[in-house]
Amino acid sequence: MKIYKAKDYKDMSRKAANIISAQVIMKPNCVLGLATGSTPIGTYDQLVEWYIKGDLDFSEVTTVNLDEYKGLPRTNDQSYYYFMHQHLFDRVNIDPERTNVPNGMEPDAEKECGRYEELIRSLGGVDLQLLGLGHNGHIGFNEPGEAFEKETHCVDLTESTIEANKRFFASADDVPKQAYTMGIKTIMQAKKILIVVNGENKADIVERAFFGPVTPEVPASILQLHNDVTLVGDKAALAKIG
Ligand code: F6R
């Protein structure tokens, strides 16, 4: 695993955006796996800035997002579809037809998860998968458990996740109770993985995930077994790993 220590959030975002840019320049028709959450927002802003400057061209890029809430329409500003359009897709010259987010409005989980796996397969797999890291070690919506869930699947959100997300919705009843997410095998099949972390509240989990035992209790720990992982973190998040 390569580890890049950044001075701060801005520096982390620039370093991560540089790695994504390199991928897009080296292979203009690459497949990028993308994540939502607060950590990659600065990375997307940096990519947009370089696109506006004329240094990046997304016209041939295809994207596949990690996850989406089940039952939330795309027009809801908490959907991951909405997030991706707001932070990246609507700001660069990507072809909307080549952007893919699990369809949260498909009620048949088996159908949607099968479709998404097949889609990734038909694209020839993911060239570079961007990930954030949850405080409990989750990646995508793969929460700590007794086994690694392999392929794209439907998850029941934990009470704590519903509780944490409540602030974004009118009431706890409006918070989606399920989500579709790429599985661990889907993620591990990406040719390259880029994981971004910032803030001192991620320092413990960074140590457990990348220097602790590989266990489904810390889903991100499986990344230790991938042969092309780059971790980019700010000083605070990497404080415990020297
Ligand atoms: C987002 C995702 C999540 C986040 C993780 C970290 O698509 O799948 O696993 O990457 O929850 O979120 P932030 O970046 O908000 O700390």
Side-chain angles (χ1 to χ4, degrees):
M1 184 169 64
K2 284 169 268 186
I3 302 176
Y4 292 110
K5 194 181 260 192
K7 285 197 292 283
D8 50 25
Y9 180 74
K10 175 108 185 111
D11 190 29
M12 177 208 78
S13 302
R14 280 177 71 88
K15 285 183 163 58
N18 259 310
I19 292 167
I20 297 171
S21 298
Q23 174 66 68
V24 173
I25 291 166
M26 301 281 279
K27 187 177 176 191
N29 64 347
C30 64
V31 178
L32 296 179
L34 298 177
T36 63
S38 54
T39 318
I41 291 178
T43 305
Y44 295 143
D45 286 343
Q46 184 63 74
L47 290 172
V48 170
E49 199 181 308
W50 288 335
Y51 162 72
I52 291 169
K53 268 179 70 186
D55 290 343
L56 268 178
D57 175 13
F58 289 88
S59 61
E60 291 178 56
V61 170
T62 298
T63 64
V64 282
N65 262 77
L66 275 172
D67 44 13
E68 177 60 287
Y69 289 117
K70 182 166 182 252
L72 212 56
R74 292 173 161 183
T75 46
N76 188 303
D77 64 5
Q78 294 305 316
S79 76
Y80 289 175
Y81 176 94
Y82 191 100
F83 175 103
M84 287 312 303
H85 279 264
Q86 182 185 26
H87 291 288
L88 186 67
F89 300 158
D90 294 350
R91 302 163 73 198
V92 297
N93 66 335
I94 197 158
D95 176 355
E97 296 281 315
R98 290 189 210 252
T99 65
N100 299 283
V101 180
N103 178 8
M105 291 310 282
E106 171 54 64
D108 183 339
E110 208 175 310
K111 183 172 163 201
E112 179 54 15
C113 296
R115 181 194 72 85
Y116 209 66
E117 275 297 317
E118 186 44 43
L119 168 79
I120 296 170
R121 239 189 313 273
S122 72
L123 292 170
V126 173
D127 289 298
L128 174 66
Q129 176 67 55
L130 175 65
L131 296 175
L133 178 66
H135 289 107
N136 59 3
H138 71 225
I139 46 177
F141 266 117
N142 293 279
E143 297 288 354
E146 284 169 12
F148 292 112
E149 287 277 350
K150 297 182 192 71
E151 303 201 319
T152 302
H153 59 286
C154 181
V155 286
D156 293 328
L157 304 187
T158 58
E159 274 310 314
S160 70
T161 303
I162 295 171
E163 193 55 32
N165 289 350
K166 192 169 81 180
R167 64 203 154 105
F168 300 119
F169 295 87
S171 77
D173 286 346
D174 294 330
V175 185
K177 309 291 183 289
Q178 292 184 309
Y180 292 139
T181 182
M182 280 188 199
I184 292 295
K185 182 172 159 199
T186 329
I187 294 171
M188 286 293 280
Q189 280 173 337
K191 294 172 190 99
K192 296 190 193 99
I193 291 181
L194 168 62
I195 181 154
V196 286
V197 284
N198 77 290
E200 60 182 331
N201 60 7
K202 292 276 172 79
D204 282 333
I205 194 63
V206 165
E207 185 184 31
R208 285 179 65 205
F210 302 112
F211 293 89
V214 175
T215 163
E217 282 161 30
V218 182
S221 64
I222 192 88
L223 299 175
Q224 293 180 44
L225 304 183
H226 192 283
N227 65 9
D228 194 343
V229 176
T230 304
L231 170 66
V232 182
D234 70 351
K235 265 198 281 202
L238 303 190
K240 298 215 163 161
I241 60 169

